[in-house]
Amino acid sequence: MISIEARLARMALRGDQEAFAEIVGLYQEKLYHMAYRMLSNRQEAEDVVQDTFLRVYNNLDRYDETMKFSTWIYRIATNLCIDRLRKRKPSYSLDAESSDHEGLDGYSMIPSDDRTPESETLLSETQRIIHQAMDTLPAKYKSVMVLRYLQELSLQEIGDVLGMPVTTVKTRVHRGREFLRKKLERVL
Amino acid sequence: MECKVAILWMHEYLDDDLPRDDVIQLKEHLLSCPECRMRFEQLKRTEAFAQAAITERITIPVAASAGRSAVSSASLTNRIMQKLPQQRRKQGWMRFVRNHPAVTVAAVFVFVMMTSFLAMWGQSSELIVSGSDLQHVVIDGDTVIVPAGVQVNGDLTVENGRADIRGEVQGNLTVIDGSLQLASTAKIVGENREINQALDWLWFKVTKTVSGLAY
């Protein structure tokens, strides 16, 4: 029994464009979301998503069906993101400032419904600080944290995606969490 | 319990990886240690805030108006599909080449040899007469005549023409892509061959080259 993605990949390999469009449909939003959280830039996130699918398309014949398709596609996308983060390192903090938080919704953050104007400004302020803190995370922690908080992958799968043992993933999650805690200390 | 261990367990707990018994122990420690309790609260809130900040839905932008995600994601799909290289079928034989390099090289070699060989064979349609003693040979149109009573010393080769032998040839007589007519007075000391097939012709060329090398 092979996965839906593997079957679609086979069909796409035989020249079925529709099948490949299905794969794109299944993953584009997840990948865009991940890339956006990594890069904090819409245009770059979209570029990464496009490059990822281009690579997937060109290397469909090399897809190993024993591996989960999601692991494979996330690996390609995270590598592209990490490459970009490394390349722009010098102007990094400047870039991070310009990240857009439009469409930001404080509602999504509060589990309870007792909102006051004060708590909303506080929340958006917190959120801004969180995004800023995330942007200052070094790339190796950032990839782990983003993949983990997106909750699409288990820790084991994150290890597979990034090519590292689960223990390393855990260590990085712990350090990343402490890093964020320190950054957020004054608003917590 | 040491606070160092407690902190490690807090993280394990937030990873959903702390066994039940340890959870109870951790709770006991938190009750007795206000410092760790505060740290745990901070970590829990960090986790919640970061989680919320990252999972907060974002829409994939269309050109102008960001908004309905179904529309914009469909347009992203289109953009992606348009960027794909066309006709992946074309790569089928390239894959074959990549997987069977030896076969490909052999096929190319055979192809080149065949074309050069065929080119050589079909090259000339002109009459060519060669031999060591052509003094008395008469050429009339496409016919090469060795008149009666004449003696040709050595070999005689006629290509793309007719040979009409009435006299004497001391060596071999070879006719390529032509016809041979022997009169009753003709006398050929050496071998007498007619060649019309490509393979015969090749054999002739090869033996000639080899015997040429031998002398």
Side-chain angles (χ1 to χ4, degrees), chain A residues 12-15 17 20-21 24 28-29 32-33 36-37 42 46 49-50 53-54 57-58 61-62 103-105 108-109 123 126-127 130-131 134 145-146 148-151 155 170 173-174 177-178 180-181 184-185 188, chain B residues 7-8 10-12 14-15 17 38-39 41-43 45-61 66 69-70 72-74 76-81 83-89 91 95 98:
Chain A
L13 201 54
R14 273 184 255 121
Q17 296 265 323
F20 194 77
V24 174
Q28 62 178 4
E29 291 202 47
Y32 181 83
H33 205 146
Y36 178 70
R37 290 307 178 204
R42 288 179 184 276
E46 188 173 327
V49 173
Q50 291 195 355
F53 283 114
L54 202 63
Y57 190 76
N58 288 331
D61 51 338
R62 274 181 247 168
L104 174 144
D105 184 8
S108 60
M109 294 188 54
L123 277 173
T126 315
Q127 198 146 21
I130 287 174
H131 283 300
M134 290 295 292
M145 297 304 272
V146 168
R148 199 191 108 76
Y149 286 131
L150 284 177
Q151 290 185 309
L155 288 179
K170 277 193 164 187
V173 167
H174 297 179
R177 199 185 277 133
E178 287 292 345
L180 289 180
R181 183 186 67 84
L184 298 173
E185 213 155 20
L188 286 174
Chain B
I7 289 168
L8 187 66
M10 287 176 208
H11 284 289
E12 294 281 345
L14 292 172
D15 289 342
D17 270 343
M38 196 176 112
R39 184 156 186 153
E41 280 305 312
Q42 283 185 341
L43 281 174
R45 300 187 75 183
T46 305
E47 185 81 351
F49 280 131
Q51 183 91 61
I54 288 198
T55 49
E56 174 208 338
R57 291 321 296 175
I58 45 162
T59 50
I60 299 173
S69 124
S72 45
S73 63
L76 179 59
T77 308
N78 288 336
R79 270 175 278 165
I80 290 167
M81 293 309 287
K83 285 223 172 162
L84 296 181
Q86 294 304 303
Q87 294 164 315
R88 92 161 281 128
R89 283 294 81 193
Q91 295 181 331
R95 241 200 330 267
R98 225 183 299 156

Side-chain angles (χ1 to χ4, degrees), chain B residues 8-212:
Chain B
L8 187 66
W9 284 19
M10 287 176 208
H11 284 289
E12 294 281 345
Y13 175 82
L14 292 172
D15 289 342
D16 272 334
D17 270 343
L18 195 65
R20 273 187 75 90
D21 297 346
D22 295 352
V23 173
I24 295 164
Q25 276 194 55
L26 177 65
K27 278 189 176 161
E28 279 167 6
H29 175 78
L30 290 178
L31 285 172
S32 62
C33 174
E35 220 166 281
C36 280
R37 198 159 59 230
M38 196 176 112
R39 184 156 186 153
F40 185 57
E41 280 305 312
Q42 283 185 341
L43 281 174
K44 268 204 306 197
R45 300 187 75 183
T46 305
E47 185 81 351
F49 280 131
Q51 183 91 61
I54 288 198
T55 49
E56 174 208 338
R57 291 321 296 175
I58 45 162
T59 50
I60 299 173
V62 218
S65 62
R68 287 148 299 182
S69 124
V71 178
S72 45
S73 63
S75 80
L76 179 59
T77 308
N78 288 336
R79 270 175 278 165
I80 290 167
M81 293 309 287
Q82 275 162 17
K83 285 223 172 162
L84 296 181
Q86 294 304 303
Q87 294 164 315
R88 92 161 281 128
R89 283 294 81 193
K90 246 178 148 183
Q91 295 181 331
W93 67 271
M94 275 306 294
R95 241 200 330 267
F96 177 84
V97 168
R98 225 183 299 156
N99 294 341
H100 310 276
V103 175
T104 311
V105 170
V108 169
F109 177 75
V110 167
F111 176 73
V112 170
M113 288 308 287
M114 285 300 286
T115 34
S116 67
F117 163 62
L118 286 174
M120 263 162 75
W121 186 47
Q123 215 170 27
S124 54
S125 55
E126 292 169 348
L127 174 66
I128 297 169
V129 185
S130 57
S132 47
D133 175 24
L134 298 173
Q135 247 177 344
H136 308 291
V137 174
V138 177
I139 297 171
D140 178 20
D142 65 342
T143 313
V144 177
I145 305 164
V146 178
V150 166
Q151 184 178 322
V152 174
N153 293 317
D155 298 343
L156 180 65
T157 306
V158 177
E159 274 188 69
N160 304 311
R162 291 188 292 152
D164 187 357
I165 310 299
R166 294 170 199 168
E168 206 173 307
V169 177
Q170 290 292 339
N172 298 329
L173 173 66
T174 313
V175 180
I176 300 163
D177 282 342
S179 59
L180 173 63
Q181 208 178 332
L182 289 175
S184 53
T185 51
K187 185 185 170 195
I188 295 162
V189 175
E191 265 184 284
N192 158 19
R193 284 183 299 178
E194 269 186 87
I195 300 169
N196 286 313
Q197 300 292 321
L199 264 178
D200 287 351
W201 180 81
L202 178 69
W203 181 240
F204 167 71
K205 282 279 183 196
V206 168
T207 49
K208 204 174 125 184
T209 313
V210 170
S211 58

